[in-house]
Amino acid sequence: MIACSASLMTAWEARESISIPTSWIVANLWLIPAVPMAAAGLIALLKQPRRKTAAALSIGGLSFSLLLAIVAFAHVLTAWGQGTETREVVNFNWIDLGATHLQLGWILDPLAAVMLVMVTFVGLLIFIYSTGYMAHDENFTRFFCFLSLFAGGMLGVLIANSLLLLFMCWEIVGLTSYLLIGFWYHKPSAAAAAKKAFLTTRVGDIFFLLGMVWLFAQTGTLLFYNNGAGAMEPVALATLLSHPAALGLSAATAIGLLIFAGAAGKSGQLPLHVWLPDAMEGPTPVSALIHAATMVAAGVYLVARVYPLMSAGAAAGGSTVSLTVVAWVGALTALFGALVAVAQNDIKRILAYSTVSQLGYMMVGLAVGGVAVGMFHLITHAFFKALLFLGAGSVIHGCHEEQDIRRMGRLRIAMPLTFLTYSVGMLALSGFPIFFSGFWSKDAIIGAAHAWPISQGPFVLLLLGALLTAFYMMRQVAYVFFGSWRGPHHTHAHESPLAMTLPLSILAAFAIGLGLLGTPAWPWFTSFIESKSLSVDMHAFSEPGLLPLMGFAILLVFAGLGAGWWLYAVRPIENADQKDALEQASPTVFGWLANRLYFDELYEATVLRWYAVLAWLSDWLDRRLWGGVVTAVSSGFRSLGLVNKSVDSQWIDGTFDKGCEELVTGGGVLAWLQAGRTPGYLRILTLGVVVLAGLALVVGAVTGQVRL
Amino acid sequence: MIFGISIAFLLTAILTVLGALAAALLKNLVHCALSLTVTFAGLALLYLQLGAQFAGFSQILVYIGAVAILVVFAILLTRGAGIPEYRDFSSSWLAGLVIAAAVFALLGWAVARSFPANIAASAAPAVTVQSIGAALMSTYVLPLEIVAVLLTVALIGAVIVAMPESRTPKSGAEASGGK
Amino acid sequence: MTPLAAFLVVAALVFAIGLAIALTRRNAILVLIGIELMLNAANLNLIAFWRFSPHANRHNDGLTGMMFAIFSIAVAAAEAAVGLGLVIAYHRHTKTTDLDAMTRMKG
């Protein structure tokens, strides 16, 4: 990761700034994810006991990012107000691929700006909350290191202008999710849950990667916006639409579906939802930050980012295949989550399934109503779901780590502030009219679903889901805060410290206030996201069909709340073993719902079994076949070595040794000559003289010089 | 005069050769040395017969009087701890004999083939000791000086070579090794 | 046979015998004796030639041969002294004068 960021930084030195002279904030937008990541790096170097330093670094880093996010948000606001271009992009070359370059970049547009502020703000509140919640945990420092790393990764996802950069930060976020779910890794259930989360999201990520590669192959770019050359811009989209994939679909549809598969994994849509409830094994701040407000929202954000791709080629007033699939998957997920949440007894698991359900709502909103509709619900949901999770954490903390709602009760007396804020969250989630943000955001989705020309199926499913949402939230509140105290007799619950209750209050305020941004009369949010002009228009309420629909939805909400109240609060729940009212009514259906509609068991029996067979086969192949091949090759080499050795020792060495022996013998012979045998020398000497003299005489005689 | 050579010469020659043979063949070293002396004496006689009185007398003085004595001294000094066990003749004596015979054959052949005509015996040159002395001091003064140096060197060399090795105390080495 | 030839033959004979002593006897001193014999034979050669050389060949008052012989005697004496000194020194070390045993250089 360090090497990657280093390469990014050095490549950025040679950046080519594409847009008009960028303002300071857009040019330095990269600081927003970089600072928390740097903080994580620094904390990683600390020792465990330095808690204050770790917390200070984390909170300081994220505060700095929050400030920058606010500056960026203000920048976009002014651009929107002035009517200038609200989307600004900075791209740079990262890797040279021969003639072309692989580019990365970041983007600042209304969508990104809103998400940045939300993530940094909610994140900061949860960081502060964690200092109180994890105060007794001995791995405090490690927790904040991972939290900071997560914040950096998530912010990177938000500002990425390149699908590749988004994927890289996506993986960082997935990694930190794994680390944080399995934070208490000594617990086998926590370790298993972390593994399950990672593997399930991995399945989605594979499809994501396939889609990414296909996109790059077809269009040659992974940038979203690049002065007309980006993948989300008309030229590339036209290319994708013209290329056919399989089954009569175009490449655009296929890529869109693949990318949605990745989003489905991360956002817990059917059938890749199984990891989200198990992810509650992590500490509550983790559940609040990652699995309610931000990371799971990354999937929705991804779909919003590639929305031009997914909606390309839609006939006027119609929809594309991708978006239809998204709508149906989202609607089914919404209903499924709500159904299962009705029968859960763990306070966090109820909220987890609620998150699954609400993510379905967001997906439907994107598919049927466009980016603004889905994103508005995401923003409001982030606040009130984080509020609910932090409240649940407060409850758990106050009940001395008890998580079963059947063992709580009457907490509205013991923990009044928690009760108050939790109720605000509950009402927002249920969609209590007018004063709570959830009502406006959910109603926008329901309205768009009703107006969807393709089918009314999602609309019906969403209505059912709304009914059930109100019901199970009231059930939960009744169990936890009403009735009598069903915990251990000698203990009492106590209110949580200020570090925990202050963020709750702030979030509650937002849960109420945000609704004002999305009313039909003053659709600030929609206008901001779509960069349109804005005005207050009370006549929007008199749009045909709007008020009746709104009224019907309100009716359903009240019905759900009332049913819940009647079943669980009118007759106070006295003891822990008392059977749930629904369970008494219909044990079999309740059993199905309590067992999560047996999805995990289904996977266990099919996918996992098949996977186990595959693993066994691989092992067998590895040990027998590949092992055999390797052994054979190595035996071949060994025998070759032996042959080599014998040749070497017998032939070569033998030859050499013999040669040396001959040499020694020869040397001995020569040495014999030098042994100092004087008589011998004398004889040779004399013989030589005789020979020479004779020769001289003979030659002389022959030539006539010597007169013989 | 037998074959053109006088009796005196013949007898002296036989004496010389016999002495040499005796030196070659005798087992006892001292006998060898003494027969060597006889040979030297025979040679001196031959010199005298040839009219080289100075050479003859210096032969007697130097060879018999010095070299032969020297040889006897050496033999006596190397008598050794015991009687030598080795044989007198080397294991490959035949090769040496053959070579010596070859040399004699060569020399004899050269002598025999080089005087086809009788050379008239010329008169003996007039030599006096005075003329030898004068010649030594004039014409042959350089060889004289060189021989003097040679003799000095030989003297010193012989003394050094034959001197018994003085056992020098290794005090210097011990002192340095003790630190 | 001319007198010169006779002398030369005698000298050759003595020379050959001296050579035979040097080449066949084992004792180092005897080898030196042989060497002395060889030198003496050479001297005899010189004196014989000095005596029987023609008048026309006589230079330097006709003393060359004699001078040569005298110097040869002197040098031979010196050489005998050094040689015998060597043998004595060797005998001191190894208690032997056997030439066949003098193979200290034998590797």
Side-chain angles (χ1 to χ4, degrees):
Chain A
M1 200 192 324
I2 294 172
C4 186
S5 45
S7 74
L8 280 171
M9 289 309 129
T10 50
W12 181 66
E13 294 305 315
R15 72 191 186 280
E16 49 171 73
S17 188
I18 305 227
S19 58
I20 42 175
T22 52
S23 60
W24 178 90
I25 179 61
V26 178
N28 291 307
L29 203 64
W30 60 274
L31 281 172
I32 297 185
V35 169
M37 279 207 219
L42 283 172
I43 297 172
L45 298 171
L46 292 176
K47 293 194 191 219
Q48 277 292 356
R50 299 179 74 74
R51 301 171 157 226
K52 286 212 181 54
T53 324
L57 276 172
S58 291
I59 294 177
L62 198 56
S63 315
F64 182 71
S65 297
L66 174 62
L67 282 172
L68 284 180
I70 293 174
V71 170
F73 187 68
H75 177 81
V76 176
L77 267 180
T78 44
W80 179 52
Q82 290 164 358
T84 55
E85 175 67 41
T86 51
R87 179 189 307 140
E88 290 178 75
V89 159
V90 171
N91 295 325
F92 59 92
N93 293 336
W94 189 43
I95 297 178
D96 280 339
L97 299 173
T100 54
H101 300 281
L102 192 63
Q103 288 190 309
L104 298 178
W106 53 82
I107 180 172
L108 181 62
D109 65 351
L111 181 62
V114 148
M115 286 296 290
L116 279 175
V117 172
M118 185 273 278
V119 168
T120 48
F121 185 63
V122 173
L124 187 63
L125 289 175
I126 294 177
F127 277 27
I128 296 170
Y129 181 91
S130 302
T131 57
Y133 192 81
M134 301 296 284
H136 302 302
D137 198 297
E138 56 183 13
N139 291 311
F140 190 86
T141 319
R142 184 160 66 97
F143 187 75
F144 273 94
C145 172
F146 292 158
L147 272 187
S148 277
L149 186 60
F150 166 80
M154 185 68 207
L155 293 167
V157 167
L158 294 177
I159 67 165
N161 188 36
S162 158
L163 201 53
L164 181 61
L165 185 60
L166 195 149
F167 186 70
M168 292 198 289
C169 295
W170 182 274
E171 292 300 319
I172 292 176
V173 162
L175 169 72
T176 49
S177 169
Y178 167 82
L179 289 171
L180 284 166
I181 294 173
F183 186 71
W184 291 314
Y185 54 85
H186 300 291
K187 270 204 303 179
S189 54
K195 199 168 54 168
K196 185 174 182 181
F198 196 76
L199 290 175
T200 316
T201 49
R202 226 12 164 187
V203 174
D205 290 347
I206 303 248
F207 290 111
F208 186 1
L209 192 61
L210 278 174
M212 196 166 77
V213 169
W214 194 344
L215 182 66
F216 185 72
Q218 289 280 225
T219 57
T221 177
L222 282 175
L223 292 172
F224 291 137
Y225 298 100
N226 192 9
N227 254 351
M232 297 296 136
E233 284 168 322
V235 175
L237 290 177
T239 319
L240 287 171
L241 277 176
S242 57
H243 276 104
L247 299 175
L249 303 172
S250 68
T253 315
I255 295 172
L257 284 174
L258 285 172
I259 294 181
F260 173 64
K266 205 60 128 197
S267 293
Q269 303 296 296
L270 235 54
L272 294 172
H273 64 280
V274 289
W275 65 274
L276 232 168
D278 283 15
M280 298 300 121
E281 293 285 342
T284 309
V286 168
S287 308
L289 181 61
I290 300 183
H291 306 123
T294 46
M295 189 184 97
V296 291
V300 180
Y301 178 77
L302 175 64
V303 175
R305 263 278 167 249
V306 299
Y307 189 78
L309 175 67
M310 303 195 81
S311 62
S319 177
T320 62
V321 175
S322 334
L323 286 180
T324 314
V325 169
V326 171
W328 275 105
V329 168
L332 286 168
T333 309
L335 183 61
F336 168 79
L339 277 173
V340 176
V342 166
Q344 298 302 311
N345 289 320
D346 184 322
I347 189 173
K348 281 169 70 172
R349 238 158 251 259
I350 298 176
L351 293 174
Y353 281 106
S354 168
T355 309
V356 170
S357 170
Q358 295 303 308
L359 287 167
Y361 270 93
M362 288 178 226
M363 288 295 185
V364 175
L366 279 177
V368 307
V371 171
V373 172
M375 291 309 294
F376 186 49
H377 193 57
L378 190 151
I379 301 287
T380 57
H381 171 268
F383 281 93
F384 58 67
K385 197 41 82 58
L387 168 62
L388 285 171
F389 265 107
L390 292 189
S394 175
V395 164
I396 293 169
H397 188 78
C399 294
H400 313 292
E401 315 305 326
E402 175 61 66
Q403 285 188 258
D404 193 329
I405 57 174
R406 295 172 295 190
R407 295 199 207 313
M408 301 172 190
R410 209 177 182 80
L411 287 180
R412 74 178 189 285
I413 314 287
M415 306 171 73
L417 193 53
T418 306
F419 169 62
L420 206 59
T421 51
Y422 201 90
S423 308
V424 170
M426 183 272 273
L427 290 172
L429 175 55
S430 310
F432 197 87
I434 305 201
F435 300 108
F436 298 96
S437 56
F439 165 69
W440 296 108
S441 58
K442 204 184 294 186
D443 212 64
I445 298 176
I446 293 176
H450 181 64
W452 204 41
I454 309 294
S455 161
Q456 291 289 297
F459 171 65
V460 171
L461 294 175
L462 288 185
L463 283 179
L464 278 175
L467 175 70
L468 288 171
T469 306
F471 176 71
Y472 69 66
M473 281 316 290
M474 178 51 84
R475 170 176 177 268
Q476 187 187 38
V477 166
Y479 257 104
V480 173
F481 293 103
F482 292 87
S484 38
W485 170 248
R486 298 181 297 280
H489 283 285
H490 50 280
T491 57
H492 292 280
H494 59 273
E495 184 62 87
S496 299
L498 187 65
M500 293 168 72
T501 53
L502 185 60
L504 291 174
S505 319
I506 298 174
L507 287 170
F510 272 89
I512 298 173
L514 275 182
L516 293 171
L517 293 177
T519 60
W522 190 60
W524 183 92
F525 194 83
T526 313
S527 309
F528 179 62
I529 294 288
E530 294 170 2
S531 298
K532 294 212 198 80
S533 62
L534 177 61
S535 59
V536 177
D537 181 18
M538 294 302 292
H539 289 287
F541 278 115
S542 53
E543 239 186 77
L546 180 66
L547 279 175
L549 186 60
M550 221 184 274
F552 186 59
I554 295 171
L555 207 65
L556 282 180
V557 167
F558 279 136
L561 288 173
W565 179 265
W566 184 65
L567 279 178
Y568 296 106
V570 164
R571 281 168 301 183
I573 305 166
E574 299 293 329
N575 51 9
D577 303 317
Q578 185 175 349
K579 267 201 181 171
D580 193 290
L582 271 186
E583 195 178 353
Q584 287 166 343
S586 165
T588 43
V589 177
F590 193 79
W592 290 350
L593 296 180
N595 285 314
R596 310 172 306 273
L597 289 176
Y598 302 106
F599 256 94
D600 287 306
E601 286 76 6
L602 179 70
Y603 286 156
E604 174 83 40
T606 56
V607 176
L608 293 186
R609 187 158 299 166
W610 174 69
Y611 187 76
V613 166
L614 211 62
W616 177 86
L617 188 68
S618 298
D619 176 58
W620 186 84
L621 272 180
D622 185 51
R623 272 188 291 118
R624 291 298 152 93
L625 197 62
W626 312 133
V629 167
V630 169
T631 312
V633 170
S634 71
S635 304
F637 276 108
R638 267 192 73 216
S639 51
L640 211 66
L642 280 171
V643 167
N644 204 2
K645 178 190 159 204
S646 72
V647 164
D648 189 45
S649 61
Q650 266 147 34
W651 291 4
I652 297 173
D653 283 354
T655 314
F656 190 70
D657 287 343
K658 278 284 174 303
C660 285
E661 274 172 45
E662 296 301 320
L663 207 63
V664 168
T665 316
V669 169
L670 285 175
W672 179 84
L673 288 175
Q674 295 277 337
R677 266 180 302 277
T678 323
Y681 301 156
L682 282 171
R683 284 172 209 154
I684 305 277
L685 229 158
T686 318
L687 193 63
V689 169
V690 165
V691 165
L692 283 173
L695 210 62
L697 278 176
V698 163
V699 168
V702 163
T703 57
Q705 284 170 350
V706 171
R707 190 163 53 85
L708 284 179
Chain B
M1 301 280 268
I2 301 172
F3 301 112
I5 45 178
S6 61
I7 298 287
F9 167 74
L10 199 62
L11 286 172
T12 321
I14 288 172
L15 174 70
T16 312
V17 173
L18 281 176
L21 276 173
L25 297 171
L26 287 175
K27 305 256 189 288
N28 192 333
L29 275 181
V30 180
H31 295 165
C32 290
L34 292 173
S35 55
L36 181 71
T37 315
V38 166
T39 315
F40 287 157
L43 279 167
L45 281 172
L46 284 172
Y47 291 161
L48 290 172
Q49 281 181 10
L50 283 169
Q53 290 88 1
F54 189 74
F57 286 120
S58 58
Q59 165 95 355
I60 293 171
L61 270 175
V62 174
Y63 269 112
I64 302 174
V67 176
I69 305 298
L70 203 58
V71 170
V72 172
F73 262 120
I75 289 170
L76 290 177
L77 277 174
T78 60
R79 267 287 158 102
I83 301 157
E85 307 97 12
Y86 51 82
R87 293 181 310 193
D88 302 308
F89 290 87
S90 139
S91 47
S92 51
W93 57 269
L94 188 62
L97 200 61
V98 163
I99 292 173
V103 169
F104 178 68
L106 182 69
L107 287 170
W109 179 66
V111 167
R113 298 284 300 182
S114 58
F115 290 106
N118 276 343
I119 292 181
S122 47
V127 170
T128 58
V129 177
Q130 187 184 13
S131 67
I132 289 175
L136 272 175
M137 285 300 146
S138 59
T139 320
Y140 299 100
V141 68
L142 188 61
L144 180 70
E145 299 303 328
I146 290 172
V147 166
V149 170
L150 179 72
L151 286 174
T152 314
V153 168
L155 170 70
I156 297 169
V159 166
I160 289 173
V161 164
M163 205 163 55
E165 275 180 13
S166 58
R167 308 211 182 258
T168 56
K170 297 188 177 59
S171 58
E174 272 177 16
S176 62
K179 285 182 191 166
Chain C
M1 180 177 303
T2 59
L4 177 60
F7 277 102
L8 290 180
V9 169
V10 169
L13 204 55
V14 172
F15 185 87
I17 293 170
L19 187 61
I21 294 175
L23 293 185
T24 54
R25 293 301 290 260
R26 272 171 91 133
N27 197 317
I29 296 175
L30 268 172
V31 169
L32 280 162
I33 288 171
I35 290 170
E36 291 305 317
L37 274 176
M38 283 193 272
L39 278 163
N40 275 287
N43 276 352
L44 182 60
N45 243 9
L46 283 165
I47 300 291
F49 271 112
W50 171 75
R51 171 63 183 80
F52 291 108
S53 64
H55 274 285
N57 291 346
R58 288 184 191 173
H59 308 281
N60 297 325
D61 302 325
L63 284 174
T64 311
M66 169 99 86
M67 288 284 108
F68 212 127
I70 288 169
F71 281 119
S72 167
I73 291 170
V75 172
E79 167 257 328
V82 173
L84 287 168
L86 275 172
V87 172
I88 290 172
Y90 191 84
H91 174 81
R92 199 172 283 131
H93 275 289
T94 55
K95 299 289 181 275
T96 182
T97 53
D98 180 5
L99 260 186
D100 281 351
M102 285 185 191
T103 54
R104 283 277 283 264
M105 285 164 62
K106 184 175 176 192

